Amino acid sequence: MKAFFRYLFILGSISIVLILLWASMDKLVRLSTMSNVSNGHIVQAVDLHYQGHLWLAYFHIIPGLLFLALGAYQLIPYFRVRNYPIHRTVGKIFLLLSLVIFSTAIVLAIIYPFGDWLETITTILFGSFLLFCTYKAYTAARSLQFQAHRNWVTRIYFIAIAVSTIRGMVGLFMATGNYTMQEIFGIAFLLAFALHFFLVELWIKYLAD
Ligand code: HEM
């Protein structure tokens, strides 16, 4: 039974990461071609909303893409044990990227939220928690507490990819109710982050090696 839930969790996480990789690359293309009216893309309100602060969006999304790729590499046991010096170097880059992504997420949510106050509050709450996890992951590694280090990094990765689940929730709310994207952004943020927080604690307590 434990093996079944482990595979379910791992397969679910891989799907979530792949969707987020695709959505983030698509977003980058949309943002970079937004000013070109002849490109045939339909410019949506959620894209136009970034027009005045594109650099900040790039500074969040590009490190986000690297974070997804490097985090996946770090969490696969085969790569982790194969070459420890690479694990250490990639790990430092991953933690630096985490600092950039979570800080820019908080700035975006405070200064330029697309949704309501709930998006801002949820991002401040989980963004700060993720910054705390980043600090703990680093100090645990420095003091050679490798099990604790692995748990903090697992939390960082799995809670951060909740941004992919947010997209699914937004789609679900919009398909089943008469809501605009702007109205349901905040509640989707809260539900997705709370769900990922709960699931990663279950993984760490009952399913991890
Ligand atoms: C896992 C790495 C991450 C990636 C690849 C990523 C990617 C993105 C993308 C593509 C957008 C543009 C969204 C859109 O309008 O379609 C975005 C915006 C945003 N992200 Fe992230 N993100 C990541 C992590 C996070 C985390 C951990 C948080 C919260 C703690 C966060 C909070 C935000 C916020 C608040 C916005 C602005 C939304 C708005 O316009 O109101 N992101 N991110």
Side-chain angles (χ1 to χ4, degrees):
M1 200 59 171
K2 182 176 165 178
F4 171 77
F5 282 114
R6 272 178 66 87
Y7 283 120
L8 196 67
F9 189 92
I10 292 168
L11 279 179
S13 304
I14 293 171
S15 319
I16 288 172
V17 170
L18 289 177
I19 292 170
L20 187 54
L21 276 170
W22 174 81
S24 301
M25 285 191 277
D26 178 63
K27 186 76 181 184
L28 276 182
V29 173
R30 281 177 170 279
L31 292 182
S32 58
T33 54
M34 193 162 52
S35 52
N36 181 1
V37 284
S38 62
N39 61 28
H41 283 167
I42 298 166
V43 181
Q44 299 172 347
V46 69
D47 297 332
L48 274 178
H49 151 76
Y50 289 98
Q51 221 164 22
H53 52 282
L54 267 180
W55 62 272
L56 184 58
Y58 291 143
F59 203 49
H60 178 74
I61 299 171
I62 295 168
L65 281 166
L66 281 172
F67 167 98
L68 291 177
L70 296 186
Y73 173 85
Q74 290 292 85
L75 288 170
I76 295 170
Y78 175 80
F79 295 122
R80 195 165 54 231
V81 294
R82 234 172 107 89
N83 193 327
Y84 189 62
I86 292 187
H87 175 76
R88 285 187 60 181
T89 309
V90 174
K92 284 178 192 156
I93 300 171
F94 175 84
L95 291 180
L96 272 177
L97 291 170
S98 302
L99 289 180
V100 173
I101 300 160
F102 308 146
S103 313
T104 48
I106 293 174
V107 175
L108 274 168
I110 293 177
I111 308 184
Y112 308 110
F114 180 70
D116 57 10
W117 58 271
L118 195 52
E119 174 193 343
T120 306
I121 301 284
T122 307
T123 305
I124 292 173
L125 197 70
F126 282 96
S128 307
F129 177 66
L130 286 168
L131 284 172
F132 172 71
C133 294
T134 308
Y135 166 74
K136 294 297 280 182
Y138 180 71
T139 51
R142 293 291 294 175
S143 51
L144 308 182
Q145 295 171 325
F146 294 119
Q147 186 56 50
H149 168 70
R150 183 144 47 117
N151 290 345
W152 286 113
V153 175
T154 308
R155 283 189 184 96
I156 294 172
Y157 197 71
F158 193 73
I159 296 175
I161 62 171
V163 286
S164 187
T165 305
I166 291 172
R167 293 168 175 277
M169 287 194 176
V170 167
L172 196 70
F173 277 125
M174 287 177 72
T176 54
N178 200 13
Y179 306 103
T180 65
M181 195 188 273
Q182 220 150 6
E183 282 169 343
I184 36 89
F185 235 53
I187 189 69
F189 263 68
L190 181 61
L191 291 178
F193 276 114
L195 178 68
H196 277 242
F197 177 79
F198 177 69
L199 288 178
V200 78
E201 291 306 323
L202 285 183
W203 167 268
I204 289 170
K205 203 162 167 39
Y206 300 110
L207 300 174
D209 293 329

